[in-house]
Amino acid sequence: MPHPVITQALEQGRGFLLEPESYALCEAYGIPHAPFAVCRTAEEAVEAADRVGYPVVLKVISSQILHKSDVGGVVVDLRSGEEVRRAYPQLLETVSRHAPQASVDGILVQRMEKGSAELVVGGVVDPQFGPVVMVGGGGILVELLRDVSFRLAPLDLEEALQQLAETRAYRLLQGLRGRPPADIRAVGEMLVRVGELLVAERAIRELDLNPVVAGPEGCVAVDARMVLQTDPPEDRP
């Protein structure tokens, strides 16, 4: 049986999971993510930011918006309750201007994370080979650097660590120019769990955790996007 958030999204005719739903799926498979809260007023957002810790990022949640940044739906590096209170209505106004047809389901408040390296961890279901796990240098440079490595899922920890070592981002994970080494094993375990998710949840077509922030204490996903298969189950690879 698919995870309940997938069933709910498909029943609503959606081809993707909302970000909180993606984190719910991550939690079901032991994939760590940054703490967050879903809010519907500016005061709720301030209370949530006080709770998860500053600085925070605000992100729009909408079933009509897949790429939040494209419509101005992300505000980063807010360092006080007053900044959150001011940013909340500004974000809603910006989204309304760029996507006037979209309804807003809430605002996600999430703590910003720091680490030794930013990675992209992803997955696709290839029509010929089935589920594939991807990892590489992440953040805004992912499309420019194309520093990625692929493995068929499922994969074990040894395979995941070998996959990581094939990327240029691996040097950052080892500690470069004064940066502390990251917990490389934790990143490998995340790759293993992403593979398990892709194998078990056949309705997932694409998975994108970008960035994943890795540091000495582990790694966490700070953004999550999951696209669903809308074909009948018997037609899926």
Side-chain angles (χ1 to χ4, degrees), residues 158-215:
E158 182 179 355
E159 291 173 299
L161 294 176
Q162 291 173 351
Q163 183 185 7
L164 263 179
E166 293 172 358
T167 68
R168 282 177 283 173
Y170 190 71
R171 291 190 62 198
L172 289 174
L173 294 173
Q174 291 176 304
L176 187 67
R177 294 188 176 180
R179 298 188 182 202
D183 185 343
I184 294 175
R185 182 184 179 90
V187 180
E189 290 172 346
M190 176 182 279
L191 299 181
V192 172
R193 290 166 184 164
V194 167
E196 292 170 350
L197 186 158
L198 290 170
V199 169
E201 302 289 351
R202 293 187 61 209
I204 298 292
R205 190 181 74 196
E206 296 177 15
L207 177 155
D208 189 20
L209 308 177
N210 184 29
V212 169
V213 177

CSV table of all heavy atoms in Angstrom, one decimal, residues 158-215:
chain,number,residue,atom,x,y,z
A,158,GLU,N,28.0,0.2,1.7
A,158,GLU,CA,29.2,0.2,1.0
A,158,GLU,C,29.1,0.8,-0.4
A,158,GLU,O,29.9,1.6,-0.9
A,158,GLU,CB,29.8,-1.2,0.9
A,158,GLU,CG,31.2,-1.3,0.2
A,158,GLU,CD,31.7,-2.7,0.2
A,158,GLU,OE1,31.1,-3.6,0.7
A,158,GLU,OE2,32.8,-2.9,-0.4
A,159,GLU,N,28.1,0.4,-1.1
A,159,GLU,CA,27.8,1.0,-2.5
A,159,GLU,C,27.6,2.5,-2.4
A,159,GLU,O,28.0,3.3,-3.3
A,159,GLU,CB,26.6,0.3,-3.1
A,159,GLU,CG,26.9,-1.1,-3.5
A,159,GLU,CD,25.6,-1.8,-4.0
A,159,GLU,OE1,24.6,-1.9,-3.2
A,159,GLU,OE2,25.6,-2.2,-5.2
A,160,ALA,N,26.8,2.9,-1.4
A,160,ALA,CA,26.5,4.3,-1.2
A,160,ALA,C,27.8,5.2,-1.0
A,160,ALA,O,27.9,6.3,-1.5
A,160,ALA,CB,25.5,4.5,-0.1
A,161,LEU,N,28.7,4.6,-0.2
A,161,LEU,CA,29.9,5.4,0.1
A,161,LEU,C,30.8,5.4,-1.1
A,161,LEU,O,31.5,6.4,-1.4
A,161,LEU,CB,30.6,4.7,1.3
A,161,LEU,CG,29.9,4.8,2.6
A,161,LEU,CD1,30.6,4.0,3.7
A,161,LEU,CD2,29.7,6.2,3.1
A,162,GLN,N,30.8,4.4,-1.9
A,162,GLN,CA,31.6,4.4,-3.2
A,162,GLN,C,31.0,5.4,-4.1
A,162,GLN,O,31.7,6.2,-4.8
A,162,GLN,CB,31.5,3.0,-3.8
A,162,GLN,CG,32.3,2.0,-3.1
A,162,GLN,CD,32.2,0.6,-3.7
A,162,GLN,OE1,31.3,0.4,-4.5
A,162,GLN,NE2,33.0,-0.4,-3.2
A,163,GLN,N,29.6,5.5,-4.1
A,163,GLN,CA,29.0,6.5,-5.0
A,163,GLN,C,29.3,7.9,-4.6
A,163,GLN,O,29.7,8.7,-5.4
A,163,GLN,CB,27.5,6.3,-4.9
A,163,GLN,CG,26.6,7.2,-5.8
A,163,GLN,CD,25.1,7.0,-5.6
A,163,GLN,OE1,24.7,6.3,-4.6
A,163,GLN,NE2,24.3,7.7,-6.4
A,164,LEU,N,29.3,8.2,-3.3
A,164,LEU,CA,29.7,9.5,-2.8
A,164,LEU,C,31.2,9.8,-3.2
A,164,LEU,O,31.4,11.0,-3.6
A,164,LEU,CB,29.6,9.5,-1.3
A,164,LEU,CG,28.4,10.0,-0.6
A,164,LEU,CD1,28.5,9.9,0.9
A,164,LEU,CD2,28.2,11.5,-1.0
A,165,ALA,N,32.1,8.9,-3.1
A,165,ALA,CA,33.5,9.1,-3.4
A,165,ALA,C,33.7,9.5,-4.8
A,165,ALA,O,34.8,10.0,-5.2
A,165,ALA,CB,34.3,7.9,-3.0
A,166,GLU,N,32.8,9.2,-5.7
A,166,GLU,CA,32.9,9.5,-7.1
A,166,GLU,C,32.6,11.0,-7.4
A,166,GLU,O,32.9,11.4,-8.6
A,166,GLU,CB,32.0,8.6,-8.0
A,166,GLU,CG,32.3,7.1,-7.9
A,166,GLU,CD,31.3,6.3,-8.6
A,166,GLU,OE1,30.2,6.8,-9.0
A,166,GLU,OE2,31.5,5.1,-8.7
A,167,THR,N,32.1,11.7,-6.5
A,167,THR,CA,31.7,13.1,-6.7
A,167,THR,C,32.8,14.1,-6.3
A,167,THR,O,33.6,13.8,-5.4
A,167,THR,CB,30.4,13.5,-6.0
A,167,THR,OG1,30.7,13.5,-4.6
A,167,THR,CG2,29.3,12.5,-6.3
A,168,ARG,N,32.9,15.2,-6.9
A,168,ARG,CA,33.8,16.2,-6.5
A,168,ARG,C,33.4,16.8,-5.1
A,168,ARG,O,34.3,17.3,-4.3
A,168,ARG,CB,33.9,17.4,-7.5
A,168,ARG,CG,34.7,17.0,-8.7
A,168,ARG,CD,34.7,18.1,-9.8
A,168,ARG,NE,33.5,18.1,-10.5
A,168,ARG,CZ,33.1,19.0,-11.4
A,168,ARG,NH1,33.9,20.1,-11.6
A,168,ARG,NH2,31.9,19.0,-12.0
A,169,ALA,N,32.2,16.8,-4.8
A,169,ALA,CA,31.7,17.2,-3.5
A,169,ALA,C,32.3,16.4,-2.4
A,169,ALA,O,32.3,16.9,-1.2
A,169,ALA,CB,30.2,17.2,-3.5
A,170,TYR,N,32.8,15.2,-2.7
A,170,TYR,CA,33.4,14.4,-1.6
A,170,TYR,C,34.5,15.1,-0.9
A,170,TYR,O,34.7,14.9,0.3
A,170,TYR,CB,33.9,13.1,-2.3
A,170,TYR,CG,34.2,12.0,-1.2
A,170,TYR,CD1,33.3,11.4,-0.5
A,170,TYR,CD2,35.6,11.6,-1.1
A,170,TYR,CE1,33.6,10.4,0.4
A,170,TYR,CE2,35.9,10.7,-0.2
A,170,TYR,CZ,34.9,10.0,0.6
A,170,TYR,OH,35.3,9.1,1.5
A,171,ARG,N,35.3,15.9,-1.6
A,171,ARG,CA,36.4,16.6,-1.0
A,171,ARG,C,35.9,17.6,0.1
A,171,ARG,O,36.5,17.8,1.1
A,171,ARG,CB,37.2,17.4,-2.1
A,171,ARG,CG,38.0,16.5,-3.0
A,171,ARG,CD,39.0,17.3,-3.8
A,171,ARG,NE,39.9,18.0,-3.0
A,171,ARG,CZ,40.7,19.0,-3.4
A,171,ARG,NH1,40.5,19.5,-4.6
A,171,ARG,NH2,41.5,19.5,-2.6
A,172,LEU,N,34.7,18.2,-0.2
A,172,LEU,CA,34.1,19.1,0.8
A,172,LEU,C,33.7,18.3,2.0
A,172,LEU,O,33.9,18.7,3.1
A,172,LEU,CB,32.9,19.8,0.2
A,172,LEU,CG,33.2,20.9,-0.8
A,172,LEU,CD1,31.9,21.4,-1.4
A,172,LEU,CD2,34.0,22.0,-0.2
A,173,LEU,N,33.2,17.1,1.8
A,173,LEU,CA,32.7,16.3,2.9
A,173,LEU,C,33.9,15.9,3.8
A,173,LEU,O,33.8,15.7,5.0
A,173,LEU,CB,32.0,15.0,2.4
A,173,LEU,CG,30.7,15.3,1.7
A,173,LEU,CD1,30.2,13.9,1.1
A,173,LEU,CD2,29.6,15.8,2.6
A,174,GLN,N,35.1,15.7,3.2
A,174,GLN,CA,36.3,15.3,3.9
A,174,GLN,C,36.8,16.5,4.7
A,174,GLN,O,37.7,16.2,5.6
A,174,GLN,CB,37.3,14.8,3.0
A,174,GLN,CG,37.0,13.4,2.3
A,174,GLN,CD,38.0,13.0,1.3
A,174,GLN,OE1,38.3,13.7,0.4
A,174,GLN,NE2,38.6,11.8,1.5
A,175,GLY,N,36.4,17.7,4.4
A,175,GLY,CA,36.9,18.9,5.1
A,175,GLY,C,37.9,19.6,4.2
A,175,GLY,O,39.0,19.0,3.9
A,176,LEU,N,37.6,20.8,3.8
A,176,LEU,CA,38.5,21.5,2.9
A,176,LEU,C,38.6,22.9,3.3
A,176,LEU,O,37.6,23.6,3.7
A,176,LEU,CB,37.8,21.4,1.5
A,176,LEU,CG,38.7,21.9,0.3
A,176,LEU,CD1,39.9,21.0,0.1
A,176,LEU,CD2,37.8,22.0,-1.0
A,177,ARG,N,39.9,23.4,3.3
A,177,ARG,CA,40.2,24.8,3.6
A,177,ARG,C,39.6,25.2,5.0
A,177,ARG,O,38.8,26.2,5.1
A,177,ARG,CB,39.7,25.7,2.5
A,177,ARG,CG,40.5,25.5,1.2
A,177,ARG,CD,40.1,26.6,0.2
A,177,ARG,NE,40.9,26.4,-1.0
A,177,ARG,CZ,40.9,27.2,-2.1
A,177,ARG,NH1,40.0,28.2,-2.1
A,177,ARG,NH2,41.6,26.9,-3.1
A,178,GLY,N,39.8,24.5,6.0
A,178,GLY,CA,39.4,24.8,7.3
A,178,GLY,C,38.0,24.3,7.7
A,178,GLY,O,37.6,24.5,8.8
A,179,ARG,N,37.2,23.8,6.7
A,179,ARG,CA,35.9,23.3,7.0
A,179,ARG,C,36.0,22.0,7.8
A,179,ARG,O,36.8,21.2,7.4
A,179,ARG,CB,35.1,23.1,5.8
A,179,ARG,CG,34.8,24.4,5.0
A,179,ARG,CD,33.8,24.2,3.9
A,179,ARG,NE,33.6,25.4,3.1
A,179,ARG,CZ,32.5,25.6,2.4
A,179,ARG,NH1,31.6,24.7,2.4
A,179,ARG,NH2,32.4,26.7,1.7
A,180,PRO,N,35.2,21.8,8.8
A,180,PRO,CA,35.3,20.5,9.5
A,180,PRO,C,34.8,19.4,8.6
A,180,PRO,O,33.9,19.6,7.8
A,180,PRO,CB,34.4,20.7,10.7
A,180,PRO,CG,33.4,21.8,10.3
A,180,PRO,CD,34.2,22.7,9.3
A,181,PRO,N,35.3,18.2,8.8
A,181,PRO,CA,34.8,17.0,8.0
A,181,PRO,C,33.4,16.7,8.3
A,181,PRO,O,33.0,16.9,9.5
A,181,PRO,CB,35.7,15.9,8.4
A,181,PRO,CG,36.9,16.5,9.0
A,181,PRO,CD,36.5,17.8,9.6
A,182,ALA,N,32.6,16.3,7.4
A,182,ALA,CA,31.2,16.0,7.6
A,182,ALA,C,31.1,14.5,8.0
A,182,ALA,O,32.0,13.7,7.8
A,182,ALA,CB,30.4,16.2,6.3
A,183,ASP,N,29.9,14.1,8.5
A,183,ASP,CA,29.7,12.7,8.8
A,183,ASP,C,29.3,12.0,7.5
A,183,ASP,O,28.1,12.0,7.1
A,183,ASP,CB,28.5,12.7,9.8
A,183,ASP,CG,28.2,11.3,10.3
A,183,ASP,OD1,28.7,10.3,9.7
A,183,ASP,OD2,27.5,11.2,11.3
A,184,ILE,N,30.3,11.5,6.9
A,184,ILE,CA,30.1,10.9,5.6
A,184,ILE,C,29.2,9.6,5.7
A,184,ILE,O,28.4,9.3,4.8
A,184,ILE,CB,31.5,10.5,4.9
A,184,ILE,CG1,32.2,11.8,4.6
A,184,ILE,CG2,31.3,9.7,3.7
A,184,ILE,CD1,33.7,11.7,4.1
A,185,ARG,N,29.4,8.9,6.7
A,185,ARG,CA,28.5,7.7,6.9
A,185,ARG,C,27.1,8.1,6.9
A,185,ARG,O,26.2,7.4,6.4
A,185,ARG,CB,28.9,6.9,8.2
A,185,ARG,CG,28.2,5.7,8.4
A,185,ARG,CD,28.5,5.0,9.7
A,185,ARG,NE,27.7,3.8,10.0
A,185,ARG,CZ,28.1,2.6,9.6
A,185,ARG,NH1,29.2,2.4,9.0
A,185,ARG,NH2,27.3,1.6,9.8
A,186,ALA,N,26.7,9.2,7.6
A,186,ALA,CA,25.3,9.6,7.7
A,186,ALA,C,24.8,9.9,6.3
A,186,ALA,O,23.6,9.6,6.0
A,186,ALA,CB,25.2,10.8,8.6
A,187,VAL,N,25.6,10.5,5.4
A,187,VAL,CA,25.2,10.8,4.1
A,187,VAL,C,24.9,9.5,3.3
A,187,VAL,O,24.0,9.3,2.6
A,187,VAL,CB,26.2,11.7,3.3
A,187,VAL,CG1,25.7,11.9,1.9
A,187,VAL,CG2,26.4,13.0,4.1
A,188,GLY,N,25.9,8.5,3.5
A,188,GLY,CA,25.7,7.2,2.9
A,188,GLY,C,24.4,6.5,3.3
A,188,GLY,O,23.7,5.9,2.5
A,189,GLU,N,24.1,6.6,4.6
A,189,GLU,CA,22.9,6.0,5.1
A,189,GLU,C,21.7,6.7,4.5
A,189,GLU,O,20.6,6.1,4.2
A,189,GLU,CB,22.9,6.1,6.6
A,189,GLU,CG,23.9,5.2,7.3
A,189,GLU,CD,24.0,5.4,8.8
A,189,GLU,OE1,23.5,6.4,9.3
A,189,GLU,OE2,24.6,4.6,9.5
A,190,MET,N,21.7,8.0,4.3
A,190,MET,CA,20.6,8.7,3.6
A,190,MET,C,20.4,8.1,2.2
A,190,MET,O,19.3,7.9,1.8
A,190,MET,CB,20.9,10.2,3.6
A,190,MET,CG,19.8,11.0,2.8
A,190,MET,SD,20.1,12.7,2.7
A,190,MET,CE,19.5,13.3,4.3
A,191,LEU,N,21.5,7.9,1.5
A,191,LEU,CA,21.3,7.4,0.1
A,191,LEU,C,20.7,6.0,0.2
A,191,LEU,O,19.8,5.7,-0.7
A,191,LEU,CB,22.7,7.3,-0.5
A,191,LEU,CG,23.5,8.6,-0.7
A,191,LEU,CD1,24.8,8.3,-1.5
A,191,LEU,CD2,22.6,9.6,-1.5
A,192,VAL,N,21.1,5.2,1.1
A,192,VAL,CA,20.5,3.8,1.3
A,192,VAL,C,19.0,4.0,1.5
A,192,VAL,O,18.2,3.3,0.9
A,192,VAL,CB,21.2,3.1,2.4
A,192,VAL,CG1,20.4,1.8,2.7
A,192,VAL,CG2,22.6,2.8,2.1
A,193,ARG,N,18.6,4.9,2.4
A,193,ARG,CA,17.2,5.0,2.7
A,193,ARG,C,16.4,5.6,1.6
A,193,ARG,O,15.2,5.3,1.4
A,193,ARG,CB,17.0,5.9,4.0
A,193,ARG,CG,17.6,5.2,5.2
A,193,ARG,CD,17.8,6.1,6.4
A,193,ARG,NE,18.3,5.3,7.5
A,193,ARG,CZ,18.9,5.9,8.6
A,193,ARG,NH1,19.0,7.2,8.6
A,193,ARG,NH2,19.4,5.2,9.5
A,194,VAL,N,17.0,6.5,0.8
A,194,VAL,CA,16.3,7.0,-0.4
A,194,VAL,C,16.0,5.9,-1.4
A,194,VAL,O,15.0,5.8,-2.0
A,194,VAL,CB,17.1,8.2,-1.0
A,194,VAL,CG1,16.6,8.5,-2.4
A,194,VAL,CG2,17.1,9.4,-0.2
A,195,GLY,N,17.0,5.0,-1.5
A,195,GLY,CA,16.8,3.8,-2.4
A,195,GLY,C,15.7,3.0,-1.9
A,195,GLY,O,14.9,2.5,-2.7
A,196,GLU,N,15.6,2.8,-0.6
A,196,GLU,CA,14.5,2.0,0.0
A,196,GLU,C,13.2,2.6,-0.3
A,196,GLU,O,12.2,1.9,-0.6
A,196,GLU,CB,14.7,1.8,1.5
A,196,GLU,CG,16.0,0.9,1.8
A,196,GLU,CD,16.3,0.9,3.3
A,196,GLU,OE1,15.8,1.8,4.0
A,196,GLU,OE2,17.2,0.1,3.7
A,197,LEU,N,13.1,3.9,-0.2
A,197,LEU,CA,11.9,4.6,-0.4
A,197,LEU,C,11.4,4.5,-1.9
A,197,LEU,O,10.3,4.2,-2.2
A,197,LEU,CB,12.1,6.1,-0.1
A,197,LEU,CG,10.9,7.1,-0.2
A,197,LEU,CD1,11.1,8.3,0.7
A,197,LEU,CD2,10.5,7.5,-1.6
A,198,LEU,N,12.4,4.6,-2.8
A,198,LEU,CA,12.1,4.5,-4.2
A,198,LEU,C,11.6,3.1,-4.6
A,198,LEU,O,10.7,3.0,-5.5
A,198,LEU,CB,13.3,4.9,-5.1
A,198,LEU,CG,13.7,6.4,-5.0
A,198,LEU,CD1,15.0,6.6,-5.7
A,198,LEU,CD2,12.6,7.3,-5.7
A,199,VAL,N,12.2,2.1,-4.0
A,199,VAL,CA,11.8,0.7,-4.3
A,199,VAL,C,10.4,0.4,-3.7
A,199,VAL,O,9.6,-0.2,-4.4
A,199,VAL,CB,12.8,-0.2,-3.7
A,199,VAL,CG1,12.3,-1.7,-3.8
A,199,VAL,CG2,14.1,-0.1,-4.4
A,200,ALA,N,10.1,0.9,-2.5
A,200,ALA,CA,8.9,0.6,-1.8
A,200,ALA,C,7.7,1.4,-2.3
A,200,ALA,O,6.6,0.9,-2.4
A,200,ALA,CB,9.0,0.8,-0.3
A,201,GLU,N,7.9,2.7,-2.7
A,201,GLU,CA,6.8,3.6,-3.0
A,201,GLU,C,6.9,3.8,-4.6
A,201,GLU,O,7.5,4.7,-5.1
A,201,GLU,CB,7.0,5.0,-2.3
A,201,GLU,CG,7.0,4.9,-0.8
A,201,GLU,CD,5.7,4.5,-0.2
A,201,GLU,OE1,4.7,4.5,-0.9
A,201,GLU,OE2,5.6,4.3,1.0
A,202,ARG,N,6.2,2.9,-5.2
A,202,ARG,CA,6.3,2.9,-6.7
A,202,ARG,C,5.6,4.0,-7.4
A,202,ARG,O,5.7,4.3,-8.6
A,202,ARG,CB,5.7,1.6,-7.2
A,202,ARG,CG,6.5,0.3,-6.8
A,202,ARG,CD,6.0,-0.9,-7.5
A,202,ARG,NE,6.1,-0.8,-8.9
A,202,ARG,CZ,5.2,-1.4,-9.8
A,202,ARG,NH1,4.3,-2.2,-9.3
A,202,ARG,NH2,5.4,-1.3,-11.1
A,203,ALA,N,4.8,4.8,-6.6
A,203,ALA,CA,4.1,6.0,-7.2
A,203,ALA,C,5.0,7.2,-7.3
A,203,ALA,O,4.7,8.2,-7.9
A,203,ALA,CB,2.9,6.3,-6.4
A,204,ILE,N,6.2,7.1,-6.7
A,204,ILE,CA,7.2,8.2,-6.8
A,204,ILE,C,7.9,8.1,-8.1
A,204,ILE,O,8.5,7.1,-8.4
A,204,ILE,CB,8.2,8.2,-5.6
A,204,ILE,CG1,7.5,8.4,-4.3
A,204,ILE,CG2,9.2,9.3,-5.8
A,204,ILE,CD1,6.9,9.7,-4.1
A,205,ARG,N,7.8,9.2,-8.9
A,205,ARG,CA,8.5,9.2,-10.2
A,205,ARG,C,9.8,9.9,-10.1
A,205,ARG,O,10.8,9.5,-10.7
A,205,ARG,CB,7.6,9.9,-11.3
A,205,ARG,CG,8.2,9.8,-12.7
A,205,ARG,CD,7.3,10.5,-13.7
A,205,ARG,NE,7.4,11.9,-13.6
A,205,ARG,CZ,6.6,12.8,-14.1
A,205,ARG,NH1,5.5,12.4,-14.7
A,205,ARG,NH2,6.8,14.1,-14.0
A,206,GLU,N,9.9,11.0,-9.4
A,206,GLU,CA,11.1,11.8,-9.2
A,206,GLU,C,11.2,12.3,-7.7
A,206,GLU,O,10.1,12.6,-7.1
A,206,GLU,CB,11.1,13.1,-10.1
A,206,GLU,CG,11.2,12.8,-11.5
A,206,GLU,CD,11.1,14.1,-12.4
A,206,GLU,OE1,11.3,15.1,-11.8
A,206,GLU,OE2,10.8,14.0,-13.6
A,207,LEU,N,12.4,12.3,-7.2
A,207,LEU,CA,12.6,12.7,-5.8
A,207,LEU,C,13.8,13.7,-5.8
A,207,LEU,O,14.8,13.4,-6.5
A,207,LEU,CB,12.8,11.5,-4.9
A,207,LEU,CG,13.2,11.7,-3.5
A,207,LEU,CD1,12.8,10.5,-2.7
A,207,LEU,CD2,14.7,12.0,-3.2
A,208,ASP,N,13.7,14.8,-5.2
A,208,ASP,CA,14.8,15.8,-5.2
A,208,ASP,C,14.9,16.4,-3.8
A,208,ASP,O,14.0,17.1,-3.4
A,208,ASP,CB,14.4,16.9,-6.3
A,208,ASP,CG,15.6,17.8,-6.5
A,208,ASP,OD1,16.7,17.4,-6.2
A,208,ASP,OD2,15.4,18.9,-7.0
A,209,LEU,N,16.0,16.1,-3.1
A,209,LEU,CA,16.3,16.7,-1.9
A,209,LEU,C,17.5,17.6,-2.1
A,209,LEU,O,18.6,17.2,-2.3
A,209,LEU,CB,16.7,15.7,-0.8
A,209,LEU,CG,15.7,14.5,-0.6
A,209,LEU,CD1,16.2,13.5,0.4
A,209,LEU,CD2,14.3,15.0,-0.2
A,210,ASN,N,17.2,18.9,-2.2
A,210,ASN,CA,18.2,19.9,-2.6
A,210,ASN,C,18.0,21.3,-2.0
A,210,ASN,O,17.0,21.9,-2.4
A,210,ASN,CB,18.3,20.0,-4.1
A,210,ASN,CG,19.4,20.9,-4.6
A,210,ASN,OD1,20.4,21.0,-3.9
A,210,ASN,ND2,19.2,21.5,-5.8
A,211,PRO,N,18.9,21.7,-1.1
A,211,PRO,CA,20.1,21.0,-0.7
A,211,PRO,C,19.9,20.0,0.5
A,211,PRO,O,18.9,20.2,1.2
A,211,PRO,CB,21.0,22.1,-0.3
A,211,PRO,CG,20.1,23.2,0.2
A,211,PRO,CD,18.8,23.1,-0.6
A,212,VAL,N,20.8,19.1,0.6
A,212,VAL,CA,21.1,18.4,1.8
A,212,VAL,C,22.3,19.0,2.4
A,212,VAL,O,23.3,19.0,1.8
A,212,VAL,CB,21.3,16.9,1.5
A,212,VAL,CG1,21.8,16.2,2.8
A,212,VAL,CG2,20.0,16.3,1.0
A,213,VAL,N,22.2,19.4,3.7
A,213,VAL,CA,23.3,20.1,4.4
A,213,VAL,C,24.0,19.0,5.2
A,213,VAL,O,23.3,18.4,6.1
A,213,VAL,CB,22.9,21.2,5.2
A,213,VAL,CG1,24.0,21.8,6.0
A,213,VAL,CG2,22.2,22.3,4.3
A,214,ALA,N,25.3,18.8,5.0
A,214,ALA,CA,26.1,17.8,5.7
A,214,ALA,C,27.1,18.5,6.5
A,214,ALA,O,27.8,19.4,6.1
A,214,ALA,CB,26.7,16.8,4.7
A,215,GLY,N,27.2,18.0,7.8
A,215,GLY,CA,28.2,18.6,8.7
A,215,GLY,C,28.7,17.5,9.7
A,215,GLY,O,28.4,16.3,9.5
